[in-house]
Amino acid sequence: MPIQGFQENLFATMIEYIFCIGTGRTGSEYLAKMLGMCKGIQAFHEPQPILNGAHMMEYLRGHSQLLEAEMPNKVKSIEQLRNDEVYVETSHVFIKSFGWLLPEYIPQEKIGVILLNRKPSKVVHSYMRIRSTPLNTGRAWQMTPLKKEILVKKKGVNPATYNFHRKIQRVTRSRIFRKFFGEKTPGFLAYYERKLLFWYIEETEAMAQKYQERFPEISYFSVNIDELNRADTFEKMLNHFGIDFQPTEEFYQALGRVTNLKSHRGK
């Protein structure tokens, strides 16, 4: 059901809630930081409850009960963080989890979605650098072939092949294996991890297209990570959502500065 108080404002034009669709490693943390430096906006990167992990994985496997049970808490958190200003949440979990249920609580006309893009090879390189893939702990944030509805069909991207490589991957991470063979991931496993990551990017794009078709009254804005280094991109983005661009002095000081150069966190 919609959040209390929304019905009276259904026909207002300004977007009040902005989310993003992406794969991760596409500038989502930087985007939240920059939008948070604009007046009238409360911006957050992956605020609690994030709804990744079990909530996300079970939902992708076709079991929505766990996610559905947590949605009221998610919506309550959004309202508390919003503080009567435009709410921005940049989380790539959106397209794999709560984003599909959100229009049951917030009217589509109030929602804006930023489609974050980056060259696939750079996304894959970034994930491999931090050793985060659908084959290891990255599966709690990304997608795996265990997903119930696979939109992009690829050779080797299926439950049986995935589970086979997963078993081998667990062996290679054991203490005994690393003692004799070292920390480096075997070549054939690294190859499969890259294959999964490229599939993950394509699958995310396919899900984004499906999302837009299912929720046509949501407002969408596509942007490449490189374009986020320009102030006029943010102005165009916010104007698209009917929001006045009011950057602070800190906005211009932070513009173009790289963020989230994390080491391995399994994400």
Side-chain angles (χ1 to χ4, degrees), residues 155-200:
K155 184 178 180 180
V157 180
N158 55 68
T161 305
Y162 174 79
N163 286 329
F164 171 75
H165 284 83
R166 181 94 176 93
K167 290 177 181 178
I168 297 176
Q169 192 268 348
R170 284 199 293 264
V171 172
T172 65
R173 301 318 300 160
S174 67
R175 184 177 301 177
I176 295 177
F177 186 93
R178 286 182 290 173
K179 179 180 179 180
F180 289 99
F181 299 99
E183 294 282 342
K184 188 175 180 180
T185 301
F188 74 96
L189 275 182
Y191 173 83
Y192 188 67
E193 286 182 313
R194 289 189 181 90
K195 183 184 184 74
L196 286 176
L197 284 169
F198 276 110
W199 165 79
Y200 164 56

Side-chain angles (χ1 to χ4, degrees), residues 137-151:
T137 51
R139 67 188 181 281
W141 294 88
Q142 300 156 355
M143 284 185 281
T144 76
L146 300 180
K147 184 172 180 277
K148 180 180 180 181
E149 183 184 15
I150 296 180
L151 302 177

Side-chain angles (χ1 to χ4, degrees), residues 22-223:
T23 60
R25 315 309 296 165
T26 53
S28 58
E29 184 171 329
Y30 171 75
L31 176 62
K33 177 182 178 181
M34 297 308 299
L35 290 176
M37 294 178 182
C38 295
K39 296 178 182 178
I41 295 176
Q42 295 287 342
F44 306 90
H45 175 64
E46 298 173 357
Q48 296 289 343
I50 300 176
L51 301 182
N52 66 318
H55 293 90
M56 183 193 84
M57 291 188 287
E58 286 299 305
Y59 181 75
L60 291 175
R61 293 181 186 185
H63 309 296
S64 62
Q65 297 92 335
L66 191 62
L67 182 61
E68 289 174 347
E70 190 62 24
M71 280 303 294
N73 291 330
K74 178 65 176 178
V75 174
K76 180 179 179 180
S77 174
I78 288 173
E79 284 302 289
Q80 290 174 339
L81 293 172
R82 181 188 175 205
N83 195 27
D84 292 326
E85 295 188 299
V86 174
Y87 176 84
V88 174
E89 177 173 337
T90 62
S91 170
H92 61 91
V93 176
F94 177 86
I95 191 60
K96 294 162 285 193
S97 176
F98 66 93
W100 297 91
L101 302 183
L102 199 65
E104 297 178 13
Y105 295 85
I106 302 175
Q108 293 184 48
E109 297 86 351
K110 294 291 184 182
I111 301 174
V113 172
I114 300 169
L115 305 170
L116 275 176
N117 306 301
R118 189 184 186 188
K119 189 175 181 180
S121 59
K122 291 187 176 181
V123 174
V124 171
H125 175 76
S126 183
Y127 268 129
M128 291 297 290
R129 180 184 65 81
I130 64 173
R131 298 170 64 183
S132 174
T133 78
L135 200 61
N136 57 35
T137 51
R139 67 188 181 281
W141 294 88
Q142 300 156 355
M143 284 185 281
T144 76
L146 300 180
K147 184 172 180 277
K148 180 180 180 181
E149 183 184 15
I150 296 180
L151 302 177
V152 178
K153 310 296 183 181
K154 291 277 187 180
K155 184 178 180 180
V157 180
N158 55 68
T161 305
Y162 174 79
N163 286 329
F164 171 75
H165 284 83
R166 181 94 176 93
K167 290 177 181 178
I168 297 176
Q169 192 268 348
R170 284 199 293 264
V171 172
T172 65
R173 301 318 300 160
S174 67
R175 184 177 301 177
I176 295 177
F177 186 93
R178 286 182 290 173
K179 179 180 179 180
F180 289 99
F181 299 99
E183 294 282 342
K184 188 175 180 180
T185 301
F188 74 96
L189 275 182
Y191 173 83
Y192 188 67
E193 286 182 313
R194 289 189 181 90
K195 183 184 184 74
L196 286 176
L197 284 169
F198 276 110
W199 165 79
Y200 164 56
I201 294 169
E202 291 186 61
E203 186 74 6
T204 300
E205 292 172 350
M207 289 180 70
Q209 181 61 40
K210 182 177 180 179
Y211 190 88
Q212 292 174 76
E213 293 170 356
R214 181 174 297 182
F215 304 114
E217 295 178 30
I218 287 177
S219 181
Y220 300 92
F221 184 89
S222 182
V223 64

